[in-house]
Amino acid sequence: MIVHKLLLVVVLSSFHLSCDAVSPETIKVMLYGQRRALANIQTHNVSSDCMEGIRKMTINNTIKALDSFGKPGAGILAGNVNWLGHFDECTSLYGFQYCSIIFNVSQLQSVGSIPFTYGLCAPKECSDVDIYNGIDFFIDKIPGLDGIISLEASSLPTCTKNPHRAYDAKFIVTVIFFSLLFLLVIASSLYHAWYHSPACRSMKDSTLIDDQTSYPPKEDQAPLVSHEDPSKSPVQSTSIRGEVGPARIGTFHSVIFSFALPNNLPKLLSGKMSRDSIPCLNGIRVLSILWVILGHVFSFPMLIEIFNPLTGLGWFQRFGFLLVSNAFFSVDSFFFLSGLLVTYLTLKQLKKSDGHIPWRWFYFHRYWRLTPAMAVTMLFYVFITPYFGHGPFAQTLSAREDCPKYWWTNLLYINNFYPIHDAQICIGWVWYLANDMQFFIISPLIILPLYYIPWLGMSLIAVLCAGSMCATAALMAVYNFPAAIMDITDITTATQSDDTFTDVIYNKPYCRITPYLVGMLLGYVIYKYPRKSIKLHWVIALLGWIVATGIAFACIFSLYNYYNIGPWSKAANVIYQMFCRFAWGVFLAWVVFACHYGYGGWVNSLLGHPAWAPLGRLTYTAYLIHPIILSLFLQHQGSPFYLSLTLIAFYFAGVSLLTYACAAIFSLTVEFPLVGLEKLFIPRN
């Protein structure tokens, strides 16, 4: 295509001219030099409309369009091989569109290839197929490339549209849904304020309440979800004479007040917890989700082009950076917490009800607490966020090609098995919820033996742990995966298999269940032995902290030699992945055990501080929202992402703050109201 021929003129000339020397006059000379060639070019499957747009482009001397094309810049040897051009300059021109295309560049007879992204400014008459066909034609005609390099377009170009996709009925319905939801919250809040106002009280000769629940709260069984109410006593209210009386309210008002901010906000901000809760879990929740966000702040820029990728690769050789490159253990922390809570709380309920639990409500409760919030997240991500971005990466990052095909797998919690590849999951970060739900489904098969025949339950835990570790070891050996999930020791090696570590091991329940099982065992211990019933000599407690710290240190930092000396042997890779997640669960088990039984010292004072409680209640919604915030941030990047530890630290602080602000809104408008509705209609027992 003519567009690409003009692009190649600029590119090849820029190899011989410094970037500073490429002036509008230089480009103008290049343009005039191509007119005769343009007149003789065959269309080669390029539409007539596109050809006409290109000819108008050359006749009108559209220098800015050529100036916005990608050009070689400084730092090619440092990895700056993505020449995106100037997005704003191109989109400011009437009749032009910004397009980017990815090439695989390699030397002939070479195994590896390098992805290379190029930006160009094409007439709007040219479709992505026109640009692809033209590029395919002109690559074969570039003199000097034959016998030197292979340049192949890996896919159709991505051309920015405004909006990125048409406003369809799904978008309109979603906007209406969120608008009605916010109106409901506002209306219920105003009604709640009026209902409890002196003016309303003067019209009634009955007592009123400030909360619709009339029973002490209960800590949720999910580690990402925490809703301890600030009060443990039955709800009371003030009558018109200032007297305190019992709570009486109709179902209608209870439903309406479930959405009221004056009703839900105090619950969110309270630092109080129920008597039987484990305070240190709030600190672990918050630190774990911040660790997840930290890992994603560093990894999400890999979705776009990087200005200085070799700088980022050098970070892996730093000792402290292993806290980022090995942030995957933060997910195992949530598996551990989930196993602990579901076992501890269910055993307490079994004891209270003399061994009887309505299992249908047991499963419905978990589905109700997780699914609606996830479904709302999918709605917002699929139908709203594609219209927010503005930049060279926005069109690509706003694509939701797999969601129409696989959204339902999220609601059934089978998305870690189907679709086959992790990259096809709609809102891919919810693979964790599928694993957690699958663990929850089988948990009664372990909890009931722990309650009735403890040795049998412990034996089941041991057998499942051994089976999970053996399965992980076998898969590691068969597929020859490296120990490091983020393996950068040989980035030029091309894999011949579509099977990745994520698809085969990382998101599969039979490889991730060990920390969950360790948590279940500790949950039984905490249920069986109340606080202050276990006495340890200070030497034993100190030894426990030393061993646990050593285990955590080994899990995170043992890969230092892997990145600095060289890849490990196959046996070492297998052993590390076989035991690391179980070991991490053991470390967390000691931390919670020591804090709960009085051997935590300053660690317990830190993790169990009441200030963690409000943030802990936002963990689930923060987990759902933070990838969307990161994606929106990247959609507005106008150039390749510059890697800097200082800048990313600022990004992390900003993303974390914005995540919790949005999580608070999400919780108050969706999650907390659904909790209130559940308490109204689901039997408490």
Side-chain angles (χ1 to χ4, degrees), residues 62 70 87 150 221 299 323 522 601 634 675:
T62 312
F87 177 84
S150 171
Q221 297 169 342
S299 62
L323 286 170
L522 180 64
L634 294 177
V675 171

Side-chain angles (χ1 to χ4, degrees), residues 625-634 654-656 658-660 662-663:
I625 286 176
H626 81 272
I628 298 178
I629 294 175
L630 281 168
S631 177
L632 292 176
F633 168 69
L634 294 177
V655 169
S656 299
L658 189 57
T659 292
Y660 272 98
C662 294

Side-chain angles (χ1 to χ4, degrees), residues 342-343 346-347 350 362 443-452 520:
V342 70
T343 305
T346 305
L347 287 173
L350 283 168
F362 176 83
S443 63
L445 302 178
I446 301 173
I447 294 174
L448 289 176
L450 283 174
Y451 181 75
Y452 291 106
M520 294 188 76

Side-chain angles (χ1 to χ4, degrees), residues 114-166:
I114 299 174
F116 166 75
T117 304
Y118 216 102
L120 60 149
C121 194
K124 286 188 176 180
E125 293 88 347
C126 297
S127 67
D128 52 359
V129 177
D130 288 331
I131 298 173
Y132 181 85
N133 289 337
I135 286 176
D136 211 19
F137 172 72
F138 281 107
I139 286 176
D140 294 336
K141 304 299 181 182
I142 300 174
L145 291 184
D146 294 338
I148 301 177
I149 66 171
S150 171
L151 189 65
E152 180 181 357
S154 62
S155 62
L156 288 174
T158 300
C159 295
T160 300
K161 300 176 178 60
N162 189 20
H164 300 307
R165 68 183 188 189

